[in-house]
Amino acid sequence: MAKDQLQVLNALDVAKTQLYHFTAIVIAGMGFFTDAYDLFCISLVTKLLGRIYYHHENAPKPGILPPPIAAAVNGVAFVGTLSGQLFFGWLGDKLGRKKVYGMTLMLMVICSIASGLSFGKTPNGVIATLCFFRFWLGFGIGGDYPLSATIMSEYANKKTRGAFIAAVFAMQGFGILAGGIVALIVAGAFKNAYPSPIYSVNPKDSTPPEADYVWRIIVMFGAIPALLTYYWRMKMPETARYTALVAKNAEKAAADMSKVLNVEIEVETNKVEEKRHDFGLFTKEFLRRHGLHLLGTTSTWFLLDIAFYSQNLFQKDIFSKIGWIPHPETMNALDEVFKIAKAQTLIALCSTVPGYWFTVAFIDKMGRFAIQLMGFFFMTVFMFALAIPYNHWTQKENRIGFVIMYSLTFFFANFGPNATTFVVPAEIFPARLRSTCHGISAAAGKAGAIVGAFGFLYAAQSTDPLKVDAGYPTGIGVKNALIVLGCVNLLGMLFTFLVPESKGKSLEEMSKENEGEEENYEKDTKAENAQTIPL
């Protein structure tokens, strides 16, 4: 017979949905709102940076960021995020979720503001400053992934846990949407205040000096929601699962959760003291119990982010190639920012945001496995449907169809693996390794994002040397790049079979944290019985 679960943990598992659940969603979710805003707002201003700092006199087209600079600007935050996910994921298991949670937020606030500043006015000084602080911004964002997911999973009840964790992640959709809206407002205001000719008429005056403020305001705005959340994050108590199972302080866990749940919870110090089966990450026991699970969460997140971040960061380039966004020489700098922001806002509003909330609505009914498998399947189908008849979609009369199909890939990414890859690692690993394993899984995702950010930038270039962007080598073209992404999605579908279903189960049941105690209990019982058998 297995030992009973701690009363404080059982109370959390069976608790009715209360105000504190929604408070936790908002507090953790605002971090993800900020994360998404900061990561994706850069795609709105990269073309503006090229016009301002890399303009060449008498060039037929506006200046663009040189390939190494573009790769750095787009990808450096992901390198920081990957590092932060590993470091803060590990630290969250060592020091506790709450202690580390405030560090990540303040790092994000400081670096959001600093990203919009410059050491000097030269292109090298501006870009170096931007990249330096975006790395550390990414480092802070990286910590938010494992900590937010772990905190929400450990606060939630088992009946609606998937929806609560997915709701935190769904705030990412609002962050992407907010980025587009802020860029629309700022670019629209400056466009009206400082009207300029289009590039083909007057290249120099098509980018007014005031345009330099536009990208800075857009980038720095991300500090505001993070700053507003800091006070409430610091008021949250440490999660009972960390306090009881990792810190071994049953009295504090019961006291904290008694206040949160407004119920009396019995202190069970003896049970906590007895739970000593603490295997580490680099042990055969972890490999036996969770090795395939970790392979499943890392591989699916890695493959998903190759496709997801390629689509998000370079949708402006795809829309330009199919003609949905006009050629840059037919616009001034501020008008280009406005049109790129308009396209991103429409995609976010019509497909990205709804996709996230479909997951919230159905994850505890359909289960994580079904949603992830379905999402990868439809992402594969729509990506091939875009890629194979690509020349058909580039015709002017078919562009709306392309945008609709492209939007559907976003919808099923978010009503699919983009949400579930975040949820599952927070549910299936032991409390003492939960934040670490989520951080490892998320870091694998960011490795995929780096592959997507750097690889797609080059791969999507035309096969015709006369049609590539300035400074770039020839690539495989948008059509073939989309086919590659379709194959990546297909691989993600296959690796999903390594991920277990966690719907309706307690965290301890999924992580098998009591398995060692159960085995020892059974051995002790058999030994006692053997001693009582008469000879």
Side-chain angles (χ1 to χ4, degrees):
M1 182 178 174
K3 297 181 180 180
D4 295 331
Q5 186 182 32
L6 287 169
Q7 186 183 339
V8 65
L9 305 186
N10 186 63
L12 285 166
D13 280 340
V14 300
K16 293 181 180 178
T17 300
Q18 300 175 36
L19 179 61
Y20 84 88
H21 286 122
F22 295 106
T23 304
I25 288 170
V26 171
I27 293 170
M30 284 307 292
F32 262 88
F33 176 96
T34 307
D35 296 348
Y37 181 95
D38 288 332
L39 285 176
F40 293 112
C41 72
I42 197 68
S43 67
L44 299 166
V45 299
T46 48
K47 286 187 177 291
L48 179 60
L49 289 169
R51 283 183 182 249
I52 295 171
Y53 297 109
Y54 295 92
H55 169 71
H56 299 287
E57 293 292 335
N58 302 318
K61 292 183 179 181
I64 62 169
L65 296 178
I69 300 296
V73 168
N74 280 296
V76 71
F78 296 138
V79 178
T81 304
L82 187 155
S83 306
Q85 285 163 336
L86 293 172
F87 176 72
F88 286 116
W90 167 79
L91 201 63
D93 283 332
K94 292 297 178 185
L95 301 182
R97 292 47 161 138
K98 180 185 174 180
K99 285 183 181 178
V100 182
Y101 215 21
M103 299 180 199
T104 62
L105 204 65
M106 286 313 299
L107 191 58
M108 287 157 59
V109 170
I110 293 166
C111 293
S112 285
I113 295 169
S115 294
L117 305 176
S118 301
F119 297 145
K121 295 182 178 180
T122 64
N124 287 343
V126 173
I127 298 301
T129 305
L130 179 63
C131 288
F132 176 81
F133 285 111
R134 277 191 67 78
F135 172 85
W136 290 108
L137 173 65
F139 194 70
I141 289 171
D144 223 41
Y145 275 73
L147 292 169
S148 290
T150 300
I151 285 172
M152 199 65 242
S153 72
E154 294 181 345
Y155 264 107
N157 61 55
K158 65 182 180 181
K159 185 179 178 182
T160 57
R161 186 180 60 239
F164 289 161
I165 304 172
V168 169
F169 195 62
M171 295 298 287
Q172 191 179 73
F174 288 125
I176 295 171
L177 180 62
I181 292 171
V182 169
L184 278 173
I185 293 170
V186 175
F190 274 77
K191 189 170 69 162
N192 290 332
Y194 307 101
S196 308
I198 63 173
Y199 184 88
S200 59
V201 172
N202 189 331
K204 184 178 180 182
D205 292 341
S206 69
T207 306
E210 294 79 9
D212 193 48
Y213 294 112
V214 171
W215 73 268
R216 297 177 190 274
I217 293 170
I218 292 170
V219 167
M220 294 168 78
F221 184 86
I224 296 174
L227 193 60
L228 293 174
T229 314
Y230 183 77
Y231 171 76
W232 298 105
R233 279 200 179 186
M234 292 300 94
K235 284 192 69 177
M236 292 178 74
E238 182 58 86
T239 70
R241 283 183 162 89
Y242 181 85
T243 306
L245 299 177
V246 183
K248 309 291 186 185
N249 191 336
E251 186 175 348
K252 180 167 175 52
D256 287 344
M257 291 306 105
S258 292
K259 291 178 184 176
V260 170
L261 298 172
N262 293 317
V263 295
E264 286 295 324
I265 298 176
E266 180 187 348
V267 178
E268 300 166 291
T269 307
N270 292 338
K271 278 190 180 180
V272 171
E273 290 301 319
E274 289 166 356
K275 294 179 182 293
R276 293 291 185 184
H277 196 73
D278 291 352
F279 56 86
L281 180 66
F282 301 105
T283 61
K284 290 181 180 179
E285 187 67 12
F286 179 86
L287 186 64
R288 180 181 72 82
R289 296 190 187 199
H290 301 292
L292 284 178
H293 296 164
L294 189 59
L295 176 61
T297 58
T298 52
S299 59
T300 52
W301 208 336
F302 172 79
L303 293 164
L304 175 276
D305 274 8
I306 292 176
F308 184 75
Y309 281 89
S310 295
Q311 289 173 262
N312 259 301
L313 286 174
F314 301 110
Q315 58 180 280
K316 63 184 183 301
D317 302 300
I318 293 173
F319 290 152
S320 295
K321 283 179 168 58
I322 67 162
W324 199 40
I325 295 175
H327 293 292
E329 61 271 22
T330 65
M331 299 180 283
N332 62 47
L334 297 174
D335 198 35
E336 185 174 39
V337 175
F338 187 86
K339 284 185 167 60
I340 291 169
K342 182 180 176 182
Q344 177 167 308
T345 302
L346 286 172
I347 292 292
L349 195 61
C350 297
S351 64
T352 306
V353 172
Y356 282 112
W357 290 98
F358 264 70
T359 300
V360 174
F362 291 104
I363 191 167
D364 288 311
K365 296 180 177 68
M366 294 175 60
R368 289 71 163 149
F369 178 82
I371 288 178
Q372 184 161 311
L373 197 68
M374 175 196 70
F376 269 128
F377 172 77
F378 281 112
M379 287 173 71
T380 305
V381 168
F382 287 119
M383 199 63 77
F384 285 142
L386 287 171
I388 294 168
Y390 179 73
N391 293 332
H392 166 80
W393 296 118
T394 58
Q395 303 297 317
K396 188 173 182 179
E397 63 273 16
N398 299 324
R399 288 171 186 169
I400 298 301
F402 181 95
V403 172
I404 292 171
M405 297 278 280
Y406 195 70
S407 298
L408 285 169
T409 63
F410 277 110
F411 176 81
F412 282 105
N414 296 312
F415 183 29
N418 192 41
T420 54
T421 52
F422 177 80
V423 172
V424 174
E427 300 181 307
I428 64 176
F429 298 107
R432 65 188 171 279
L433 299 171
R434 185 168 292 133
S435 180
T436 301
C437 289
H438 195 286
I440 292 170
S441 302
K446 281 300 166 287
I450 292 167
V451 171
F454 287 85
F456 196 83
L457 188 67
Y458 288 89
Q461 293 296 321
S462 175
T463 54
D464 184 349
L466 300 176
K467 294 182 179 180
V468 299
D469 293 331
Y472 285 85
T474 55
I476 60 175
V478 173
K479 175 178 179 174
N480 291 326
L482 292 174
I483 289 174
V484 170
L485 294 182
C487 294
V488 166
N489 292 330
L490 184 60
L491 278 175
M493 189 168 67
L494 297 176
F495 276 98
T496 295
F497 287 93
L498 295 176
V499 181
E501 179 56 73
S502 50
K503 181 181 75 169
K505 298 177 182 177
S506 74
L507 296 180
E508 288 67 45
E509 188 180 353
M510 282 306 304
S511 63
K512 301 178 182 177
E513 288 190 75
N514 294 328
E515 187 178 277
E517 285 81 13
E518 291 174 15
E519 291 171 355
N520 292 336
Y521 184 81
E522 288 168 5
K523 286 178 183 177
D524 292 343
T525 303
K526 288 178 181 177
E528 288 171 9
N529 292 339
Q531 289 173 8
T532 60
I533 295 173
L535 297 175

